[in-house]
Amino acid sequence: PRFLLFLQTMMVIRFHQTRSTRALLRAFHTTPKFLDATPTEPSNAPAPAPTPTPPATSPYPNMAVVGLGLMGHGIAQIAATSGIHSTIIAYENNEASLTNGRNRIETSIAKLVQKGRMTEEDADAALSKIKYTTNGDDLSGVDLVVEAVVEDITVKKQLYGEFLPNFCKPECVFASNTSSLSITEMALLSDRPQKFVGLHFFNPVQIMKLVEVIRTEHTDARVFEDMVDWVQGVEKVAVTCG
């Protein structure tokens, strides 16, 4: 809803004074309609028939989320419920964290069903797309990896410099959800800086609509455009930075 977007924008402007603030101001420089709307006379004309919405698609049919904590489980959930992916690989490096992440996703989707915001059929379809694993080999076929591990550059260095390149195909795009570390530094730690972007969600992922899509001087223009399209495909609002 526009009201939620407006409130979130104000929060970001107050607490997140970075280049993205200017992008947010450009995106929301007009007064929200709910503040300046004028009453209109009711019309007796019949409402037009709704135009069927074609099913959304993704430039990344198969994706992975690495790290299923506070942010990662939410990213995996919205990717699954969006309907634009064939498979979502949900990866953790140990069984305890994997189980915890799975429980969070299943509990969250169950609440949507209980509140009538999702049918049981849609919930089952979304959950069936997620494959939970601690095996790096399962990342071999994905087109996109969204990373949401701990904010520690040493951990990121091992992940991007060693782990992911060993399992992911060369054309796979890497996206980091970091909110505090340098996207450029992590891109250069990887073997594919031209296929590396920042993808900063806000918490809670399932509710907050804005997502910062951050490019570096190395990011390929087509990759950046595809990531903006992907954000829109998971029903979020992309704010481009960089």
Side-chain angles (χ1 to χ4, degrees):
R2 192 175 181 88
F3 181 64
L4 179 59
L5 286 176
F6 179 72
L7 288 181
Q8 187 180 352
T9 302
M10 294 302 100
M11 292 168 61
V12 173
I13 291 172
R14 185 172 180 182
F15 298 111
H16 193 59
Q17 298 294 330
T18 65
R19 289 177 299 178
S20 62
T21 296
R22 294 190 292 273
L24 289 168
L25 286 170
R26 288 196 299 270
F28 297 97
H29 69 280
T30 57
T31 304
K33 291 182 180 177
F34 70 86
L35 292 180
D36 64 1
T38 56
T40 57
E41 292 297 325
S43 172
N44 295 323
T51 302
T53 302
T57 59
S58 171
Y60 310 109
N62 301 300
M63 70 162 293
V65 178
V66 174
L68 300 179
L70 180 65
M71 304 299 289
H73 89 277
I75 297 170
Q77 178 181 327
I78 65 166
T81 57
S82 70
I84 65 172
H85 296 288
S86 300
T87 305
I88 298 97
I89 303 296
Y91 175 87
E92 269 288 3
N93 63 0
N94 64 83
E95 288 292 342
S97 296
L98 187 71
T99 298
N100 187 50
R102 180 171 189 160
N103 289 340
R104 280 177 156 178
I105 293 171
E106 292 179 350
T107 298
S108 180
I109 289 181
K111 288 181 180 178
L112 293 176
V113 173
Q114 291 169 4
K115 294 178 180 179
R117 298 178 183 173
M118 178 180 287
T119 66
E120 290 188 7
E121 292 77 10
D122 287 343
D124 290 342
L127 291 171
S128 70
K129 293 179 181 291
I130 306 176
K131 178 179 180 179
Y132 299 91
T133 186
T134 58
N135 186 349
D137 289 331
D138 290 325
L139 302 173
S140 63
V142 301
D143 309 295
L144 167 69
V145 170
V146 178
E147 166 267 309
V149 303
V150 63
E151 293 282 68
D152 184 330
I153 193 62
T154 301
V155 175
K156 309 277 193 183
K157 181 176 181 179
Q158 192 277 331
L159 183 72
Y160 289 120
E162 302 173 26
F163 180 78
L164 291 178
N166 286 339
F167 294 106
C168 297
K169 57 189 179 183
E171 56 269 34
C172 178
V173 172
F174 294 165
S176 177
N177 183 59
T178 185
S179 60
S180 61
L181 300 176
S182 167
I183 301 298
T184 298
E185 181 178 359
M186 288 185 287
L188 294 176
L189 289 172
S190 77
D191 63 341
R192 60 197 75 188
Q194 75 282 4
K195 295 182 180 295
F196 200 110
V197 299
L199 197 65
H200 180 216
F201 288 82
F202 293 85
N203 182 46
V205 173
Q206 296 93 327
I207 296 175
M208 305 300 269
K209 298 294 288 185
L210 297 183
V211 179
E212 294 176 312
V213 186
I214 307 153
R215 62 183 149 199
T216 74
E217 62 181 306
H218 309 285
T219 306
D220 181 86
R222 178 58 185 272
V223 169
F224 187 71
E225 292 171 4
D226 283 347
M227 286 308 308
V228 172
D229 289 343
W230 181 85
V231 169
Q232 295 170 346
V234 296
E235 301 180 355
K236 299 296 183 181
V237 177
V239 178
T240 59
C241 306

